[in-house]
Amino acid sequence: MSGLKLFRYVAWAAVAVLAAASGFLVYQQTAGNENSGSLIEPLAAIGGPFELVDGNGETVTDATFAGKPLVLFFGFTYCPDVCPTTLSELQGWIEALGPDADKLNYAFVTVDPERDTPDVMRDYVWAFDTRIAPLTGSREQIDAVIKAYRVYAKKVPLDDGDYTMDHSAAVYLMNSDNKFVGTIAYAEAEETALQKLRRLIANAPASS
């Protein structure tokens, strides 16, 4: 196994452990109260205001998604496996939710803005589902949202002079107030993921 592959496996394993821990906390907070209709309590200071650019070059902020919970994933278009797999799964979840899918917002944020320009992001993300917002921005804007959401992202040089990106593999779940309430782990079982999304919808204010 190459050093790069070993590094990536270790990084993804660490992310998986963190995702599992946060998912367990969400379960603890909600499993005994599924029919109460109360909001899921935020678990940590993850998230915050941001300003990015969508696939049409228009400015997007956290306020753009106000009023609905947000399903958020960080990655990059040159990603060989994790990103296309997760976007494909997200597409499947959206279809499985049926009409309820419109009660959530969805976004894919690049960690590689140097290569992922608005048009590249648009073509890549909308090949999966046009309801997923493709978000990029300047290096400074991306670094700010990575920091706010406690995302792991690191540029890794390759032997041919190019580079790849290691990054968090979990899907972030934010409530309608843009507060972090949990994650869906990479390659998590579809039914478990759908349960989390339905709970996110059920705990959102009726007006959203």
Side-chain angles (χ1 to χ4, degrees):
M1 180 183 296
S2 69
L4 173 60
K5 287 185 177 180
L6 178 60
F7 177 86
R8 294 179 70 181
Y9 290 150
V10 171
W12 289 342
V15 169
V17 169
L18 290 174
S22 63
F24 177 68
L25 288 173
V26 171
Y27 175 81
Q28 281 188 314
Q29 290 184 316
T30 61
N33 198 29
E34 289 185 359
N35 297 319
S36 68
S38 62
L39 291 173
I40 300 173
E41 290 297 323
L43 300 178
I46 295 176
F50 60 80
E51 182 175 300
L52 297 170
V53 179
D54 68 14
N56 293 317
E58 300 294 330
T59 298
V60 172
T61 71
D62 53 297
T64 304
F65 302 106
K68 292 182 183 180
L70 174 63
V71 181
L72 184 65
F73 180 64
F74 293 82
F76 66 116
T77 64
Y78 283 71
C79 182
D81 39 36
V82 173
C83 300
T85 297
T86 300
L87 284 168
S88 179
E89 290 176 342
L90 180 54
Q91 178 189 37
W93 302 336
I94 290 172
E95 292 177 355
L97 287 171
D100 281 346
D102 292 334
K103 297 178 181 179
L104 298 172
N105 288 314
Y106 312 89
F108 178 80
V109 181
T110 185
V111 297
D112 184 20
E114 289 81 6
R115 294 185 293 195
D116 289 343
T117 59
D119 57 328
V120 169
M121 286 290 288
R122 181 185 64 242
D123 293 346
Y124 182 78
V125 176
W126 285 358
F128 293 90
D129 197 296
T130 57
R131 284 169 287 188
I132 305 171
L135 301 180
T136 185
S138 66
R139 182 74 262 175
E140 291 76 15
Q141 288 174 316
I142 295 299
D143 286 344
V145 73
I146 285 174
K147 181 178 180 181
Y149 283 78
R150 310 295 194 268
V151 174
Y152 167 78
K154 181 179 177 63
K155 181 181 288 188
V156 180
L158 299 176
D159 293 339
D160 62 2
D162 201 356
Y163 68 91
T164 188
M165 299 293 297
D166 281 321
H167 60 89
S168 301
V171 175
Y172 287 64
L173 304 179
M174 314 298 293
N175 68 16
S176 54
D177 294 321
N178 198 32
K179 303 297 184 182
F180 173 77
V181 294
T183 62
I184 296 174
Y186 175 62
E188 187 160 323
E190 180 181 18
E191 188 52 43
T192 305
L194 287 172
Q195 286 174 358
K196 291 181 179 181
L197 295 176
R198 291 183 179 118
R199 188 178 296 125
L200 191 63
I201 293 169
N203 284 280
S207 60
S208 67

